[in-house]
Amino acid sequence: MSKQLNYLLKFLLGLWLVLESEGTCKSSNTIKVIEPVSDTQWFIAANSHRVAWTQSGRSFRWNIFLFNAKGDTVADIAKMLSEYEDGEMGFDWLVPERIESGRHAVKVEVDGDEGCFGTSQEFTITEGSPSQAEVFLPPSTNILDVTSLTNSSDPSPTLPHEQKHMRRLKVEAENFAGINMSDYWPSSVHCTIKRVSNPSREEFLENFINPGIPAIITQAIDDWPAMTMWDFDKLEGHLTKGVKVNILDHPSPYKRWNSLRQNLAASLRDPPQVHMTDFHTVYPQLMADVRQMDIFPDNADYMQFVDEDIKPAQLSLQMAPQRSGYHWRVEQYNGSLWSALVRGHKRWGLYPPSVYFPPGVVHNNHRAQDSQSSEPFTWWAHTQPRLRADRRPSECVQKPGEILYIPSGWWWSHINLEDTITLQRWFCDRRSLRACLDELKEQSDTSPKNYSGDIFVQLRHHLKTHSPEFLTADDDDQFQSPVSGKGRTYEEWERDLVAERWQEYFGKYEIGVNSGEFDDQ
């Protein structure tokens, strides 16, 4: 009987998909879901899986739902998702453990137009996981090799280059595992960033924000429930939709990352960190554990006047293993930053805007350390101790319950002295607004889809009416957001830039170039 019922459910789902594969849009728009397809398998709480769709119109915001074989909605995959591409659009989703195995379908709907949707083919969701999901495997580090070093049952490599590789991995893992982070805690008197106890908004504006002075704020988040509720084990029950790990493109199960943090991170060169800029939409219940701070009110941030479709992510949740950290950088778009530490201790370093680049740092064009040159710990362990006193950064150890304020234009870097949980946000207030506007214009020609230029144009439109004193003559007369189809595309600009750099660094040394050896043809 159960077999016949199963066949009936499959037939009903297939019939529903035929009848409901496309809805009727208010506007002329056809939505087609191209992934998943009939032979797709999604695994519960394993890897992330992709939903992909196309449209014939120009919709920008989407809702995505998962249906079971009965046609019932069993999960909201995404709500009010901002996504627009000329071709295929996509969203990656980690199937939560509460979803039952069986045949399912995905529905992609235009937000605000319930009749405008597309539906996928029916596919299978099942227990278990594919073999590649058994171990959390960052692409930059072969964890399978590292973990097998202590497992005598693993087959030994036979080829000479394999043996050499395993020996190198073993030495590297033993070296990092042997680092004692207590050796890198500066003394308490070493702190050169001023601490202030729960100041009023007016006091903090006068003494720190307006003059552009960094500070550590104490006793400002003692009433946050997060201070008692957020630890690595308790959060496992909440983060059931997965987390974004910095070295992976798609969400990963939190349980897998937390196991790596506990058992393997100490042996890795640059331990993977959780960095979620959308956690407040994926896990809105966690925001109940956070209180609005009078010192940094949301209505003081000019990014509130940018449309949600193009507004850059500002609030982020970060969970990081000991010895990981952040390279030297200036905050995005020259914004200011507050960083609230919920768990663990961090060692911070700051340089003022007058320092063009921190010493001993390989940099890129956007005032950020080249992340491919070395992990942050290397700078703190080997460069910082050898700097002259007048070249060292302002620094301090941030304690749980403290907020670090970093003004616009200041360089910052940190290492995690312990496993840490942090909530932080960057913003463009009155003090940093002009620097934000200049940086948006600076990056407008080098960002895909005219992203930065469009943000600037929206801010300029608001400021013309409400705060024209922030605008300069060239904001209006000399700047326009790049227009699609006019001038060079981002891809063309990037290609030409690579060619120019090659010529600058290598071309003049090639045989016959600028040497007179060959005549021009």
Side-chain angles (χ1 to χ4, degrees):
M1 186 68 180
S2 60
K3 197 171 187 179
Q4 293 175 334
L5 179 60
N6 190 37
Y7 285 142
L8 177 61
L9 290 175
K10 285 186 177 181
F11 170 77
L12 292 175
L13 179 59
L15 179 62
W16 177 76
L17 290 174
V18 171
L19 297 175
E20 300 283 343
S21 60
E22 295 177 12
T24 303
C25 298
K26 296 176 183 176
S27 58
S28 179
N29 196 358
T30 301
I31 315 301
K32 291 189 177 295
V33 180
I34 55 180
E35 288 185 58
V37 295
S38 59
D39 59 352
T40 297
Q41 272 196 320
W42 284 8
F43 296 91
I44 297 172
N47 286 338
S48 299
H49 300 284
R50 182 170 177 79
V51 179
W53 68 98
T54 61
Q55 62 171 331
S56 62
R58 293 177 62 85
S59 296
F60 294 86
R61 198 180 293 274
W62 309 87
N63 300 320
I64 308 176
F65 306 99
L66 180 70
F67 291 86
N68 63 14
K70 299 177 182 179
D72 299 327
T73 302
V74 294
D76 295 339
I77 294 178
K79 297 295 290 290
M80 298 183 69
L81 171 70
S82 292
E83 186 74 16
Y84 177 78
E85 296 285 351
D86 291 332
E88 178 181 314
M89 293 168 282
F91 182 77
D92 296 290
W93 188 59
L94 182 74
V95 183
E97 293 181 350
R98 61 182 176 80
I99 301 299
E100 296 181 357
S101 299
R103 300 292 283 178
H104 292 75
V106 167
K107 176 181 177 182
V108 178
E109 169 190 285
V110 175
D111 183 55
D113 188 355
E114 295 183 0
C116 191
F117 63 84
T119 307
S120 74
Q121 299 176 10
E122 59 175 302
F123 64 99
T124 300
I125 294 181
T126 185
E127 296 280 355
S129 59
S131 58
Q132 64 267 28
E134 295 296 339
V135 178
F136 181 82
L137 185 59
S140 61
T141 306
N142 193 336
I143 293 183
L144 287 174
D145 287 346
V146 176
T147 54
S148 66
L149 297 175
T150 56
N151 189 345
S152 58
S153 63
D154 287 345
S156 300
T158 56
L159 298 177
H161 74 277
E162 293 178 329
Q163 295 175 357
K164 181 179 180 181
H165 177 64
M166 292 297 289
R167 288 196 298 269
R168 182 184 64 79
L169 284 176
K170 182 176 181 179
V171 170
E172 182 176 284
E174 291 174 347
N175 175 68
F176 286 115
I179 292 175
N180 184 356
M181 286 303 296
S182 63
D183 295 338
Y184 300 95
W185 285 59
S187 63
S188 58
V189 297
H190 187 69
C191 183
T192 53
I193 302 173
K194 186 173 182 179
R195 278 189 166 90
V196 56
S197 178
N198 198 18
S200 66
R201 167 72 175 171
E202 293 72 21
E203 178 187 354
F204 199 73
L205 274 171
E206 179 181 354
N207 296 327
F208 298 98
I209 292 181
N210 290 338
I213 299 174
I216 292 179
I217 307 165
T218 64
Q219 300 181 327
I221 60 173
D222 292 347
D223 63 337
W224 283 15
M227 293 302 298
T228 56
M229 298 299 296
W230 288 12
D231 67 30
F232 293 100
D233 293 331
K234 290 179 180 178
L235 284 173
E236 187 169 306
H238 296 281
L239 303 179
T240 56
K241 299 178 182 179
V243 292
K244 178 65 177 67
V245 181
N246 62 337
I247 59 172
L248 300 179
D249 293 331
H250 311 304
S252 180
Y254 174 76
K255 186 182 299 185
R256 191 183 305 162
W257 175 84
N258 197 29
S259 176
L260 177 141
R261 175 191 66 85
Q262 295 171 307
N263 303 309
L264 196 57
S267 301
L268 300 180
R269 175 183 295 275
D270 194 5
Q273 308 174 49
V274 169
H275 188 168
M276 293 190 68
T277 56
D278 60 350
F279 88 98
H280 53 295
T281 58
V282 178
Y283 301 108
Q285 70 275 15
L286 289 180
M287 292 305 294
D289 297 335
V290 177
R291 301 282 187 260
Q292 174 66 53
M293 292 183 290
D294 295 336
I295 303 175
F296 304 111
D298 289 344
N299 60 12
D301 182 11
Y302 280 83
M303 283 292 169
Q304 66 180 300
F305 303 114
V306 177
D307 289 347
E308 290 292 336
D309 291 334
I310 64 171
K311 182 187 293 186
Q314 295 178 266
L315 185 68
S316 63
L317 172 68
Q318 300 176 10
M319 292 183 280
Q322 185 182 65
R323 195 171 42 76
S324 63
Y326 248 94
H327 300 277
W328 282 103
R329 59 173 293 178
V330 173
E331 190 51 50
Q332 183 176 0
Y333 294 134
N334 264 333
S336 302
L337 174 75
W338 61 257
S339 183
L341 188 61
V342 176
R343 285 283 180 275
H345 288 75
K346 288 187 180 185
R347 183 179 179 180
W348 287 86
L350 306 176
Y351 280 109
S354 58
V355 174
Y356 194 64
F357 286 113
V361 168
V362 177
H363 59 82
N364 61 32
N365 285 340
H366 293 298
R367 301 194 71 195
Q369 182 176 343
D370 182 357
S371 61
Q372 303 302 316
S373 61
S374 65
E375 69 283 352
F377 176 75
T378 297
W379 190 92
W380 284 97
H382 303 294
T383 301
Q384 191 275 350
R386 291 167 174 78
L387 294 176
R388 296 193 327 238
D390 62 338
R391 296 290 286 151
R392 290 181 180 174
S394 301
E395 58 178 281
C396 203
V397 171
Q398 183 186 19
K399 304 172 184 176
E402 295 183 335
I403 303 170
L404 175 63
Y405 165 68
I406 304 176
S408 169
W410 281 69
W411 288 92
W412 62 264
S413 174
H414 72 251
I415 54 170
N416 295 290
L417 300 172
E418 300 172 323
D419 295 351
T420 62
I421 299 176
T422 306
L423 185 68
Q424 67 182 37
R425 176 175 177 166
W426 68 269
F427 54 93
C428 293
D429 58 3
R430 292 184 66 87
R431 197 261 170 191
S432 58
L433 179 58
R434 186 61 249 176
C436 290
L437 292 172
D438 290 339
E439 189 67 14
L440 285 165
K441 289 197 296 182
E442 180 71 22
Q443 295 192 29
S444 64
D445 291 328
T446 59
S447 59
K449 304 179 188 175
N450 308 333
Y451 183 67
S452 300
D454 289 346
I455 295 173
F456 173 84
V457 169
Q458 288 200 3
L459 287 174
R460 181 179 63 185
H461 178 74
H462 171 82
L463 294 172
K464 278 184 177 180
T465 303
H466 299 91
S467 302
E469 67 274 12
F470 284 104
L471 298 175
T472 61
D474 63 348
D475 287 338
D476 207 37
D477 298 335
Q478 300 181 26
F479 178 82
Q480 291 183 353
S481 179
V483 178
S484 178
K486 295 184 179 180
R488 291 189 300 174
T489 64
Y490 173 74
E491 290 74 18
E492 291 170 339
W493 177 90
E494 190 173 39
R495 180 197 64 205
D496 292 345
L497 180 63
V498 170
E500 290 168 5
R501 286 181 175 171
W502 176 268
Q503 180 64 29
E504 178 182 355
Y505 292 111
F506 301 106
K508 59 186 177 182
Y509 299 112
E510 293 181 14
I511 296 177
V513 177
N514 299 327
S515 66
E517 184 175 341
F518 299 100
D519 294 328
D520 293 336
Q521 300 297 320

